[in-house]
Amino acid sequence: MPYRTEGSAIDAPVRVLLVTSRDSGRWVIPKGNPEPGMPQHTAAAIEAEEEAGVRGLVCPLPLGSFRYRKKRRNGAALMIDVDVFPLAVNQELAAWKEQGERERRWFSLAEAAAAVDEADLADLIRSFGPAEFRAATQRNGLLTAVARKSKVHTMFAWFQRLLPRTGNFFEMFEAHARTVVAGADALARLLQDGSPDHIREVIEREHDADEIIREMLRTVRETFLTPFDRGAITSLIGAMDDAIDEMQAAVQAIDLYEVTDFEQEMKDMAAIIVDAARLTAEAMPLLRDVGRNGARLHELTERIVRMESRADEIHAEGLKKAFKSIGPSDPLQFAVNRELYKHLERIVDAFEDVANEIDGIVIDHA
């Protein structure tokens, strides 16, 4: 599912790209069958370029799946299961393989959900943005079960919600999340084209984040009444800051070793980082009303945790592949690759820490 955001604001609207099918002309997402041995997300990226003329980083973890009935040329109509991978578009081609066979168009999430025929696909499209969220599945009782482990007494949480709040904590959370998203996007572009401009941008974004966290810590010290426990505030923004700190460490290593060619597994981890940053940015405004948004926050954090698990698998696969291909012949290059994988893994680990901190706030205040 190719997507882009309209502007840099944390709540900027998301648009998705749909194409028309060649047979019926109905609106669909680019899709196709992977070649034997080809990862599904790689096949999804190829189909997006051939059918819609767009390129970008595709997250290896599917957003979800849907089913539809596909008519074969022999007249059979068979049920097909489709995994949907989000693809952050950074290049729109003027000419592409199936340009003469399809129409492409950018839609808002609501318009795209209304345009497609498959109800499950419409739910997935709606679930991609904060304002249009409609849960495709419900997780009943999970938050209640976890809440029993909370360290904050429920009466205190209830009382705290009644008190006035001071300090611009939410604005700083959202501003920091914007720097994290921008840093993740720049890191992803670096792994695609190797331009040193992206290194500079990541470092600049990290400096911006440092300014925000310093202001946050000062405000925590000076504010008598905070919306959440002080420890929760500092732990959450600290975890977010760890993510962009590791992005800076990664690009500095790339600059130091003058790396210009990156393994596919590194690009896949970068795609996960981009999507995890996007989900983190979506979560920040929802913290303004945890009680109302608890279910959506849990949906977001659960996906981030699943991303971290998938990133661990990609990390192991990439290291093993590098060891077999260059380890015996070029141990120095293998050591460089191992360091880059380490930084990428730590970025994703930091996002999992962000998810855990958000879950803790939801447990205590929802």
Side-chain angles (χ1 to χ4, degrees):
M1 185 171 69
Y3 74 92
R4 70 184 184 194
T5 54
E6 301 292 314
S8 58
I10 196 165
D11 57 350
V14 177
R15 302 184 73 84
V16 298
L17 186 67
L18 300 181
V19 297
T20 53
S21 65
R22 285 183 293 190
D23 50 357
S24 64
R26 62 190 180 90
W27 290 107
V28 297
I29 60 172
K31 57 185 181 294
N33 296 317
E35 297 293 332
M38 177 184 293
Q40 289 185 321
H41 68 283
T42 302
I46 293 173
E47 295 297 335
E49 180 173 344
E50 292 182 352
E51 296 185 7
V54 290
R55 293 173 180 165
L57 283 178
V58 57
C59 180
L61 187 71
L63 180 66
S65 63
F66 71 95
R67 309 189 84 187
Y68 80 106
R69 195 168 293 279
K70 182 178 179 63
K71 290 185 177 179
R72 302 289 191 185
R73 293 182 178 178
N74 61 5
L78 303 178
M79 194 65 75
I80 304 296
D81 290 305
V82 181
D83 286 330
V84 180
F85 296 87
L87 184 147
V89 174
N90 54 38
Q91 185 179 6
E92 205 168 334
L93 304 178
W96 63 98
K97 182 177 180 180
E98 299 185 13
Q99 182 176 9
E101 304 174 61
R102 302 177 187 270
E103 179 184 352
R104 70 178 180 184
R105 184 185 305 172
W106 287 100
F107 291 83
S108 69
L109 296 181
E111 292 169 343
V116 298
D117 290 344
E118 300 82 5
D120 289 345
L121 176 58
D123 282 339
L124 286 175
I125 293 173
R126 291 190 190 99
S127 75
F128 201 66
E132 297 84 358
F133 172 68
R134 297 290 186 275
T137 60
Q138 300 296 324
R139 294 172 173 82
N140 296 322
L142 182 56
L143 286 178
T144 303
V146 177
R148 286 193 283 268
K149 300 179 181 178
S150 172
K151 296 180 180 179
V152 176
H153 194 279
T154 55
M155 181 59 72
F156 174 77
W158 170 82
F159 177 71
Q160 192 178 41
R161 287 196 296 270
L162 298 180
L163 296 174
R165 296 172 184 176
T166 58
N168 57 339
F169 296 102
F170 297 114
E171 288 83 354
M172 286 187 281
F173 277 135
E174 293 163 19
H176 197 287
R178 283 194 292 270
T179 67
V180 171
V181 170
D185 288 342
L187 173 64
R189 292 194 299 271
L190 174 62
L191 266 64
Q192 285 189 291
D193 62 32
S195 171
D197 289 342
H198 305 315
I199 296 175
R200 178 179 174 181
E201 181 178 356
V202 172
I203 294 173
E204 290 175 352
R205 298 293 186 178
E206 192 277 336
H207 292 164
D208 292 341
D210 281 346
E211 292 295 327
I212 296 169
I213 196 170
R214 278 194 288 268
E215 178 65 17
M216 173 71 85
L217 295 177
R218 183 191 64 79
T219 305
V220 168
R221 290 194 303 268
E222 296 177 356
T223 302
F224 176 72
L225 187 63
T226 57
F228 310 126
D229 178 79
R230 296 171 192 274
I233 292 173
T234 57
S235 294
L236 174 55
I237 200 164
M240 293 166 60
D241 206 55
D242 288 343
I244 198 162
D245 284 347
E246 281 298 333
M247 292 179 202
Q248 177 178 251
V251 301
Q252 287 175 332
I254 291 169
D255 186 37
L256 174 65
Y257 300 122
E258 298 182 344
V259 182
T260 57
D261 188 28
F262 302 94
E263 302 293 332
Q264 183 59 48
E265 288 79 7
M266 294 180 184
K267 296 178 182 179
D268 289 346
M269 292 184 74
I272 287 179
I273 289 167
V274 168
D275 212 30
R278 178 186 66 82
L279 296 179
T280 297
E282 180 183 338
M284 292 303 106
L286 301 182
L287 293 175
R288 293 174 180 266
D289 190 346
V290 177
R292 178 176 298 178
N293 300 317
R296 177 55 171 167
L297 285 165
H298 180 69
E299 183 82 16
L300 296 174
T301 58
E302 185 183 51
R303 178 166 170 79
I304 292 173
V305 171
R306 286 191 285 120
M307 286 178 176
E308 193 276 336
S309 296
R310 181 66 183 115
D312 282 347
E313 296 172 359
I314 296 171
H315 173 232
E317 293 166 3
L319 271 182
K320 185 174 183 180
K321 176 180 173 182
F323 179 75
K324 288 183 175 180
S325 60
I326 64 175
S329 59
D330 193 347
L332 181 59
Q333 183 59 49
F334 172 73
V336 170
N337 283 14
R338 183 173 57 186
E339 181 173 345
L340 296 185
Y341 276 118
K342 177 188 69 177
H343 288 303
L344 294 172
E345 182 187 31
R346 286 178 176 176
I347 297 169
V348 184
D349 288 345
F351 280 116
E352 183 184 31
D353 292 339
V354 171
N356 292 335
E357 294 297 335
I358 293 173
D359 275 339
I361 292 173
V362 172
I363 290 170
D364 292 342
H365 297 275

